């Protein structure tokens, strides 16, 4: 069919079926990895919801993707942004709440993080948001600086700076825990 001909019900249905198939495959291959990413970035018990929202946003914006290969980086960027918004919202809420909430990790996050990783996760949570994001995307997902920059919406130079500062601070935090 040529580009000049109008869309038919059949061609539109075929595109929808292709999109649904691609989304399902992406979900099955990367869902757990993306939930872990959201958890490590600070979503904790809301990680599943953050990832579900990201997939919904991808579903709505599928036509705007430049290629199917852009879907996973798009999901990562949405997750980073959603977790940022969630963390900022919680900071505001906590400032205005009179009662103190006990910090209890979800069963989901506990199952994903083994005992030997808890100190590292606690140290990661103590880092500034951008440093934590850069380190998780670099060392947990193994992304390149350009991919991290795309996910975080910053330059590759800023990624280098956040990664270097984050590693330095993470080292100090972990060394401080060893002294206790």
């Amino acid at each position: 069919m040529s580009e000049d001909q109008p869309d038919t019900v059949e061609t539109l249905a075929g595109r929808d079926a292709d999109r649904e198939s691609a989304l399902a495959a992406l979900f099955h291959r990367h869902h757990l990895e993306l939930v872990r990413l959201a958890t490590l970035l600070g979503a904790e018990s809301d990680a599943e919801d953050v990832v579900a929202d990201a997939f919904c946003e991808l579903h709505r914006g599928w036509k705007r993707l430049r290629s199917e290969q852009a879907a996973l980086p798009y999901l990562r960027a949405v997750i980073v942004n959603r977790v940022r918004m969630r963390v900022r919202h919680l900071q505001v809420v906590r400032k205005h709440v009179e009662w103190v909430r006990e910090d209890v990790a979800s069963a989901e996050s506990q199952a994903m993080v083994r005992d030997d990783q808890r100190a590292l996760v606690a140290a990661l949570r103590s880092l500034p948001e951008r440093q934590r994001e850069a380190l998780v995307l670099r060392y947990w997902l193994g992304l390149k600086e350009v991919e991290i920059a795309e996910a975080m919406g910053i330059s590759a130079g800023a990624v280098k700076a956040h990664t270097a500062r984050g590693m330095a601070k993470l080292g100090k935090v972990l060394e401080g825990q060893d002294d206790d």
Side-chain angles (χ1 to χ4, degrees):
M1 177 176 273
S2 78
E3 296 286 325
D4 298 342
Q5 295 178 339
D7 289 330
T8 64
V9 172
E10 293 81 19
T11 59
L12 291 174
R15 282 189 214 146
D16 284 346
D18 291 345
R19 176 187 63 188
E20 297 304 319
S21 175
L23 281 168
L26 191 63
F27 182 86
H28 289 295
R29 277 193 309 267
H30 298 286
H31 179 260
L32 183 57
E33 168 189 318
L34 295 171
V35 169
R36 287 181 179 153
L37 171 64
T39 300
L40 288 171
L41 291 176
E44 298 169 11
S45 61
D46 294 337
E48 286 275 352
D49 293 337
V50 168
V51 173
D53 288 346
F55 271 97
C56 287
E57 193 168 317
L58 175 61
H59 186 270
R60 285 190 303 271
W62 187 261
K63 291 177 186 176
R64 292 187 307 269
L65 290 179
R66 61 186 179 275
S67 71
E68 193 173 313
Q69 289 71 35
L72 185 57
Y74 178 83
L75 282 170
R76 289 180 188 135
V78 170
I79 289 168
V80 168
N81 287 327
R82 295 283 170 120
V83 172
R84 276 184 198 156
M85 289 187 316
R86 178 193 176 278
V87 169
R88 287 182 192 133
H89 172 74
L90 289 177
Q91 288 170 343
V92 170
V93 168
R94 287 178 183 148
K95 284 181 185 177
H96 299 292
V97 173
E98 296 292 323
W99 53 275
V100 177
R101 186 182 134 244
E102 216 176 292
D103 193 20
V104 178
S106 70
E108 173 186 305
S109 65
Q110 291 297 316
M112 286 191 235
V113 181
R114 297 187 313 236
D115 289 338
D116 60 339
Q117 296 171 325
R118 287 194 180 131
L120 177 60
V121 171
L124 274 171
R125 287 185 179 146
S126 74
L127 296 178
E129 179 179 278
R130 294 287 177 127
Q131 291 175 11
R132 181 179 60 246
E133 291 169 357
L135 291 177
V136 169
L137 292 168
R138 170 69 180 100
Y139 295 105
W140 187 75
L141 284 183
L143 298 182
K144 297 176 181 148
E145 286 172 358
V146 172
E147 295 169 316
I148 297 168
E150 183 180 347
M152 292 177 65
I154 59 177
S155 71
V159 169
K160 288 180 185 179
H162 289 306
T163 302
R165 289 182 191 129
M167 285 300 290
K169 186 165 183 176
L170 190 61
K172 288 178 183 175
V173 169
L174 290 173
E175 286 173 10
Q177 289 179 353
D178 290 341
D179 294 341
D180 291 342

